[in-house]
Amino acid sequence: QKAVKYLVSQEDIILKTQASYDLLVKIMNLTKSYPRDYKYSIGEKMQNHMLDLIVDVYKANSSIDKTKNIKSIQEHIQFIGLFLRISMDINIISDLKYSEFVEELYSVDKQASAWLKSLSDNQSCAVSQNVEAVPV
């Protein structure tokens, strides 16, 4: 029964990370074609932030206090967006390619924000259930 629970848990993690993982693969492929001057600065930083984002998703899934990791995910999203913008501004990627990546990045950010909101909603429900009425 533990094995089944573990497999279900792994499937849940895969579903939560699918958009992030797809974006990681696309960014890895995108940065392969970066000019040498930018491949090891902007390109590598973007790859590292995407890898760290994926790790934070897995950590958040397995930790009790998920908030710290989800906020870290959102921070990585901001940096990746910045590096994509710089890539567009210095004509490494087109406006269209930038828009496509930002749209996918926004989707990952929405998932992280919803996850964070669900945690705060659950905490506020737990707090309100533990509050006892004080006689007046």
Side-chain angles (χ1 to χ4, degrees), residues 114-130:
W115 197 2
L116 198 58
K117 184 181 180 325
S118 75
L119 291 175
S120 66
D121 288 350
N122 288 341
Q123 286 175 348
S124 63
C125 284
V127 168
S128 66
Q129 288 174 356
N130 291 332

Side-chain angles (χ1 to χ4, degrees), residues 13-24 54 108 111:
I13 290 170
I14 290 168
L15 290 173
K16 285 181 180 173
T17 60
Q18 191 62 52
S20 302
Y21 184 80
D22 291 346
L23 185 58
L24 167 69
I54 296 288
V108 173
Q111 288 178 3

Side-chain angles (χ1 to χ4, degrees), residues 23-89:
L23 185 58
L24 167 69
V25 170
K26 288 178 181 178
I27 283 182
M28 292 295 199
N29 288 325
L30 172 74
T31 56
K32 278 196 290 189
S33 64
Y34 270 37
R36 186 181 196 176
D37 292 344
Y38 303 108
K39 184 180 274 190
Y40 302 105
S41 55
I42 297 170
E44 189 173 9
K45 286 183 192 305
M46 229 185 324
Q47 290 175 353
N48 289 336
H49 278 286
M50 272 308 305
L51 290 167
D52 290 342
L53 185 151
I54 296 288
V55 169
D56 281 334
V57 170
Y58 276 87
K59 284 181 180 178
N61 268 309
S62 61
S63 68
I64 293 171
D65 182 17
K66 300 172 184 329
T67 305
K68 177 181 135 189
N69 295 108
I70 297 171
K71 287 184 178 182
S72 181
I73 290 166
Q74 292 176 318
E75 188 176 284
H76 291 301
I77 288 169
Q78 294 298 314
F79 282 117
I80 294 162
L82 171 66
F83 294 130
L84 284 168
R85 177 60 193 247
I86 292 168
S87 297
M88 181 189 69
D89 289 345

